[in-house]
Amino acid sequence: MSKAKTESKNTKKETTGNVKIYIMGSAYEVPATLTIMKAMEYAGYKFTRGSGCRAGFCGACSTVYRKEGDFRIYTALACQTMVEDGMVLTQLPFVPADKPTYDINNLTPSANTILRFYPEVARCLSCNACSKVCPQDIQVMDYIQFSLQGQIDKAAEESFDCVSCGLCAIRCPAEIPQYHVAELARRLYGKYLMIAPSYLDERIKEIIDGKYEDGFKELMALSKEKLEERYKNRDKE
Amino acid sequence: MVNYSYFPGCNLKTNAKGFEKSAIAVSKKLEAELVEIPNWNCCGTVHTMTADNLMKRIAPVRVLARSRKHVEELENSSQDIVTLCSMCNSTLKIVNSEVLVDPEKLEVINFQLEDDEETYSSDMEVKHFLEILRDNIGFAKIANKVVKPLKGFKVTPYYGCMLLHPEEAKIDDEEMPSVLENLIESLGAEVVFSPLFKYCCGSYHIVSDEDIVTRQVQKIIDSAMIRGANALAVACPLCAYNLDQQQKMLMEKTGKKEAIPIFYFSQLMALAMGEPVEINHFEDHKIDPRILLKELKFK
Ligand code: SF4
Ligand code: SF4
Ligand code: FES
C-alpha cells in the first residue's frame, strides 16, 4: 500500500465541500472527499490505461502535481491520494524504459552483473531526487548505490515495496530505470543469496505425491456462490 | 576502545575485499574500530573531480553529512570520517576543504540536501586509516600487537599519486614520506626503498589504453626488484589492481618469470598480528602472495 502524500494544512480545512483542481490545465470543482482517481472520473475522464488495482499495489496510476505557490514537484498514486485545493495535476500512465533480457540461471549476484545490464547505474550522482519522488517512501538512491556496491541483498530488501510506477526514472539526471535495476537485484537475491526454507522440499514432495489432489477436486466442483463463501471464511494469518 | 565512522568506498566491497576485512580486523585489535556507515553512497570521484559544477559535489558532501550523523550514534567517537581507499580519501578531503573555505558553495549544496535532512556544516575531518595508525594509535602500539614478525619480508612502500597529492589531500610529505616505511618496520619487515615510490601506476588508463599502464607497472616493479624487494605495499585498490594484473599480463606476454606480490598495508598488518590468513582474500590476487609466505616459511 502506498502512503498518502498530501496531508498539508490545505486539506485539513477543506475536508468538506468542494475543492478546485486543475487536470491538465483545466479547472474542475470536485468533492474534497475523493481520491485523485475518483475526482478525475467525477470530472468526466474515463480510464482505459493508468488504472489497475485501485488499491495501491499495481503502480499504474502515477500522478504528478504541483500546488499553487509551491515550487516543488509532488507525485502520488492517484488511487491512494486525496485531492487538495489548488492541485495542478496530470497522469503518467506509462514510463518508457529499456529492459534488457537475461537468463537468471547464468548470472552471479555482483556489482558487475548489475553494470553489465545497466551500465548507467555508474552515473548516479547521489542527488536523491528518486527517493524524494517515490510514492512508496523507498530510499531509492540507497538501493541504487547498494547495487553499485554489489550489496545485492541490501538492494533487494530496500526495494521490496517498489510498485514499478516509474516516477523515480523520470526524475533521474543519470537516466537510470531504477525499478528494473531493483527487479534484477531481487531476482539475483532470490536465486543466489536467500536461504531456501527447509520445508520447501517437503512441500514439493507432498504436492508430487498428490496430497492436495482431493482438496483441489472438491474446490473445482463448487458453485461460484459456495466458492465466494469459502473465500470469505478462509483462515487468515 | 575508540570507534571510527568508516567510509568504505565502492572498490572495498568489490575488488578489494581483502583490504577492507584485514583493515577492520586490525582496527579491532588496536582498539580503534572502523565501523561502517550503515548506508553510504559513492564518494563521487567520477563526477566530483571533473569540473566545478556543484551538482557534482552533492555526493561527497552527502557522505560527510551521513558520517556526521553516524558519529553521533557511535559511542566514544571522534569527528573523523576514515577511509581506506586513497582515491576516496582524496575526493572527500578536497571537497571538505573546498566547502570549508567557501561557505557560499556549501550553502548552495545544502539547499539541495535540506529536504533529505542531510545538510552539512563543515565539522568533520577526513582521515586516511594510515593517518589514524600514525597519529592516533602510534607505531609503538602497533609493534606491540605483532605476534608473528614479518621476517624475511623485503617490502617496497608504494604510495602512488593520490596519497601525496594534491596539497589539500596529502597524508604525508610529498618528497620524503615515511608513514608506510614506519609501519612496515613496526611489523618486523625490512623496508626496501625505491625511487619510484610515487611514480603513477597508470590509473584509469587501464580502461582506455592498457599499454600505458603496462609500461608504468614494469618500471615500478623492476625498480623494486633490482633493489631486492620481494613484496610491494600499497594503499589504493586501483594501484593494487594495475600492479597485480599487469604483472601477470607481462609474464604471459613476455615470458618474464619473476613477479612480486602486491599487499595492502593492512594485509601485512593482519599477517603480523596473527589474524587468520583467509581474511586477506589472497585468492583474488593474480600474483598469489601465498607463494611468498611459503618461501619464507611464514605460518
Ligand atoms: S522505486 Fe521508483 S518505480 Fe518503485 S515505487 Fe518508488 S518511484 Fe515507483
Ligand atoms: S535520481 Fe538518479 S542520479 Fe539521482 S540519486 Fe537517484 S539514481 Fe542517482
Ligand atoms: S491503480 Fe494500482 S496502484 Fe493505483
Side-chain angles (χ1 to χ4, degrees):
Chain A
M1 284 286 267
S2 125
K3 63 175 176 169
K5 254 207 173 170
T6 50
E7 289 159 17
S8 73
K9 285 172 216 136
N10 269 352
T11 23
K12 273 174 198 144
K13 66 176 187 230
E14 288 283 355
T15 41
T16 52
N18 283 354
V19 292
K20 192 173 183 186
I21 62 168
Y22 301 84
I23 303 172
M24 288 183 275
S26 301
Y28 298 91
E29 293 271 337
V30 298
T33 49
L34 299 182
T35 61
I36 293 172
M37 184 171 278
K38 288 203 177 124
M40 286 182 74
E41 287 171 329
Y42 180 90
Y45 287 84
K46 188 170 168 228
F47 287 95
T48 50
R49 298 293 303 270
S51 168
C53 66
R54 292 176 179 260
F57 284 109
C58 75
C61 61
S62 316
T63 300
V64 182
Y65 64 94
R66 278 195 159 101
K67 302 188 224 178
E68 281 171 329
D70 187 344
F71 68 84
R72 285 188 168 75
I73 287 184
Y74 293 89
T75 57
L77 296 178
C79 70
Q80 294 298 298
T81 310
M82 307 298 281
V83 286
E84 256 183 69
D85 199 36
M87 255 184 185
V88 182
L89 62 88
T90 190
Q91 293 291 98
L92 262 190
F94 177 72
V95 174
D98 189 35
K99 195 176 175 190
T101 45
Y102 43 79
D103 179 355
I104 194 68
N105 296 309
N106 300 327
L107 301 177
T108 46
S110 67
N112 277 346
T113 302
I114 300 279
L115 288 170
R116 191 168 124 214
F117 297 107
Y118 299 100
E120 61 272 33
V121 165
R123 307 203 311 164
C124 173
L125 291 158
S126 308
C127 70
N128 214 24
C130 48
S131 311
K132 285 199 195 84
V133 92
C134 177
Q136 294 291 85
D137 253 353
I138 295 167
Q139 294 303 312
V140 186
M141 179 188 88
D142 284 357
Y143 82 59
I144 288 297
Q145 289 287 329
F146 288 143
S147 316
L148 182 60
Q149 295 153 13
Q151 307 207 62
I152 304 296
D153 49 346
K154 286 187 165 184
E157 271 156 28
E158 183 59 47
S159 69
F160 186 77
D161 287 332
C162 174
V163 294
S164 297
C165 70
L167 284 164
C168 49
I170 55 158
R171 295 287 286 142
C172 178
E175 296 157 288
I176 299 169
Q178 291 89 336
Y179 50 112
H180 289 333
V181 177
E183 199 169 52
L184 174 55
R186 288 195 303 274
R187 284 176 174 155
L188 290 170
Y189 182 57
K191 173 88 190 162
Y192 297 103
L193 302 171
M194 256 171 92
I195 301 156
S198 55
Y199 49 77
L200 185 64
D201 286 343
E202 280 167 45
R203 186 57 47 91
I204 290 172
K205 189 168 180 300
E206 282 174 8
I207 293 169
I208 291 171
D209 291 348
K211 182 171 175 187
Y212 303 103
E213 290 298 312
D214 291 345
F216 275 120
K217 274 196 199 118
E218 190 195 330
L219 283 179
M220 297 298 280
L222 288 180
S223 67
K224 188 166 177 260
E225 292 73 37
K226 282 262 157 56
L227 256 183
E228 273 174 4
E229 199 187 307
R230 287 268 194 112
Y231 181 75
K232 277 187 201 126
N233 299 327
R234 73 193 188 281
D235 288 340
K236 285 192 212 144
E237 270 183 41
Chain B
M1 183 72 171
V2 187
N3 285 311
Y4 288 101
S5 164
Y6 158 59
F7 170 71
C10 310
N11 257 307
L12 279 290
K13 295 285 177 201
T14 49
N15 303 324
K17 295 198 190 86
F19 192 13
E20 170 172 87
K21 284 198 189 159
S22 55
I24 289 177
V26 299
S27 78
K28 286 185 188 156
K29 186 143 278 175
L30 294 165
E31 291 158 357
E33 186 169 348
L34 299 178
V35 186
E36 180 174 335
I37 302 170
N39 56 342
W40 49 270
N41 56 259
C42 168
C43 73
T45 183
V46 183
H47 307 286
T48 307
M49 292 301 127
T50 49
D52 62 353
N53 184 340
L54 290 184
M55 183 69 180
K56 297 167 180 170
R57 295 289 189 271
I58 288 179
V61 174
R62 193 190 297 281
V63 167
L64 294 167
R66 285 190 175 183
S67 177
R68 180 71 184 80
K69 265 194 203 168
H70 186 216
V71 156
E72 265 159 41
E73 287 154 19
L74 287 176
E75 263 171 53
N76 193 11
S77 192
S78 58
Q79 307 262 108
D80 296 313
I81 168 165
V82 183
T83 69
L84 291 171
C85 170
S86 49
M87 190 76 103
C88 299
N89 173 68
S90 175
T91 304
L92 293 174
K93 271 202 172 98
I94 290 171
V95 173
N96 200 30
S97 53
E98 214 175 81
V99 297
L100 182 68
V101 298
D102 193 344
E104 265 172 44
K105 243 184 207 174
L106 180 61
E107 209 177 306
V108 177
I109 297 167
N110 273 341
F111 184 63
Q112 294 295 326
L113 296 170
E114 242 167 43
D115 282 353
D116 308 331
E117 291 173 20
E118 288 182 338
T119 55
Y120 179 55
S121 40
S122 285
D123 51 357
M124 291 294 288
E125 288 241 26
V126 181
K127 294 269 174 72
H128 192 276
F129 190 44
L130 280 171
E131 293 176 278
I132 299 286
L133 292 174
R134 178 190 60 202
D135 305 332
N136 301 44
I137 295 168
F139 298 115
K141 178 159 184 187
I142 294 168
N144 241 323
K145 298 278 176 185
V146 170
V147 293
K148 296 180 185 172
L150 302 182
K151 250 185 85 200
F153 283 71
K154 298 179 175 152
V155 188
T156 290
Y158 176 74
Y159 289 84
C161 320
M162 308 296 293
L163 283 180
L164 304 175
H165 302 276
E167 189 64 26
E168 310 89 288
K170 69 177 192 189
I171 68 160
D172 207 341
D173 188 278
E174 67 268 39
E175 297 304 336
M176 290 285 280
S178 57
V179 56
L180 279 174
E181 283 79 353
N182 291 336
L183 178 65
I184 292 165
E185 273 170 4
S186 68
L187 303 175
E190 187 184 321
V191 172
V192 178
F193 174 80
S194 157
L196 299 190
F197 63 91
K198 61 171 180 177
Y199 193 74
C200 176
C201 71
S203 186
Y204 281 114
H205 285 297
I206 192 69
V207 192
S208 51
D209 190 349
E210 212 171 316
D211 288 347
I212 296 180
V213 180
T214 318
R215 285 199 298 274
Q216 300 293 99
V217 167
Q218 183 154 24
K219 287 183 198 152
I220 294 164
I221 297 296
D222 285 352
S223 165
M225 277 171 119
I226 294 168
R227 289 170 174 82
N230 58 16
L232 217 69
V234 302
C236 168
L238 186 54
C239 297
Y241 179 84
N242 283 347
L243 290 163
D244 190 40
Q245 178 96 6
Q246 291 304 304
Q247 279 196 85
K248 189 85 188 171
M249 270 273 304
L250 278 166
M251 291 171 90
E252 280 160 14
K253 254 206 212 146
T254 66
K256 194 171 182 253
K257 291 258 150 46
E258 285 99 46
I260 50 176
I262 312 301
F263 289 91
Y264 292 113
F265 66 88
S266 53
Q267 290 174 319
L268 293 173
M269 293 175 73
L271 289 174
M273 292 181 182
E275 293 290 339
V277 75
E278 304 80 63
I279 64 166
N280 295 300
H281 282 268
F282 286 142
E283 71 281 1
D284 292 348
H285 295 224
K286 291 276 180 285
I287 309 296
D288 194 335
R290 287 169 295 195
I291 299 170
L292 177 68
L293 302 190
K294 225 178 183 176
E295 268 172 33
L296 297 176
K297 301 202 171 62
F298 183 88
K299 268 196 203 107

